[in-house]
Amino acid sequence: MRDRAYRQFTLLVSTLAGISLLVGGIGVMNIMLVSVTERINEIGIRLAFGARPQDIRRQFLFEAVLLCTIGGLLGLAVGYACARVVPAALGWPTEFNERMALIAIACSSLIGIIFGLLPAQRAARLDPAALLRSV
């Protein structure tokens, strides 16, 4: 009975974490798409001066991964602080698992890669001549 309850609780927490990652990823993608739109002049100038589309793609993908990784690190710091403060106040035993922390950071970086691909592709496909006409 105890193992069944543990499995159900694990499934519930995993489902909530998956939904949170999906919503967060969509938010990052939207922010990056807005960033591409706002930086059209910069992209056009970079392309006109010889930047290749893969350079633009790499820049926006790096920004998305950096954004998600920093968010993951901040979340890990808040979680670590809560794991120290709350149990001390309530008398619950806790432990910090470094392996799980690394997996969490890797997942946040992976979310940046997955949800940063569309904005990076969109930025790389822009036509420099059309972009420079809008300057």
Side-chain angles (χ1 to χ4, degrees), residues 11-25 111 115:
L11 179 65
L12 174 69
V13 170
S14 299
T15 303
L16 290 175
I19 292 169
S20 296
L21 286 173
L22 180 67
V23 170
I111 291 297
F115 288 94

Side-chain angles (χ1 to χ4, degrees), residues 71-92:
L73 288 170
L74 288 173
L76 187 63
V78 169
Y80 183 77
C82 288
R84 292 292 173 220
V85 172
V86 172
L90 300 175
W92 295 342

Side-chain angles (χ1 to χ4, degrees), residues 14-105:
S14 299
T15 303
L16 290 175
I19 292 169
S20 296
L21 286 173
L22 180 67
V23 170
I26 291 171
V28 167
M29 183 173 58
N30 285 333
I31 295 220
M32 292 306 297
L33 286 170
V34 168
S35 177
V36 168
T37 304
E38 289 179 351
R39 295 165 63 186
I40 282 183
N41 294 341
E42 172 194 337
I43 296 167
I45 291 170
R46 285 193 66 207
L47 288 170
F49 278 102
R52 297 169 300 178
Q54 61 248 32
D55 296 330
I56 304 297
R57 186 180 310 110
R58 191 176 306 125
Q59 174 189 347
F60 278 92
L61 195 55
F62 178 76
E63 288 176 17
V65 171
L66 186 65
L67 181 68
C68 287
T69 303
I70 289 172
L73 288 170
L74 288 173
L76 187 63
V78 169
Y80 183 77
C82 288
R84 292 292 173 220
V85 172
V86 172
L90 300 175
W92 295 342
T94 60
E95 66 179 55
F96 183 76
N97 189 332
E98 292 86 9
R99 183 173 172 222
M100 288 297 127
L102 290 175
I103 290 172
I105 298 303

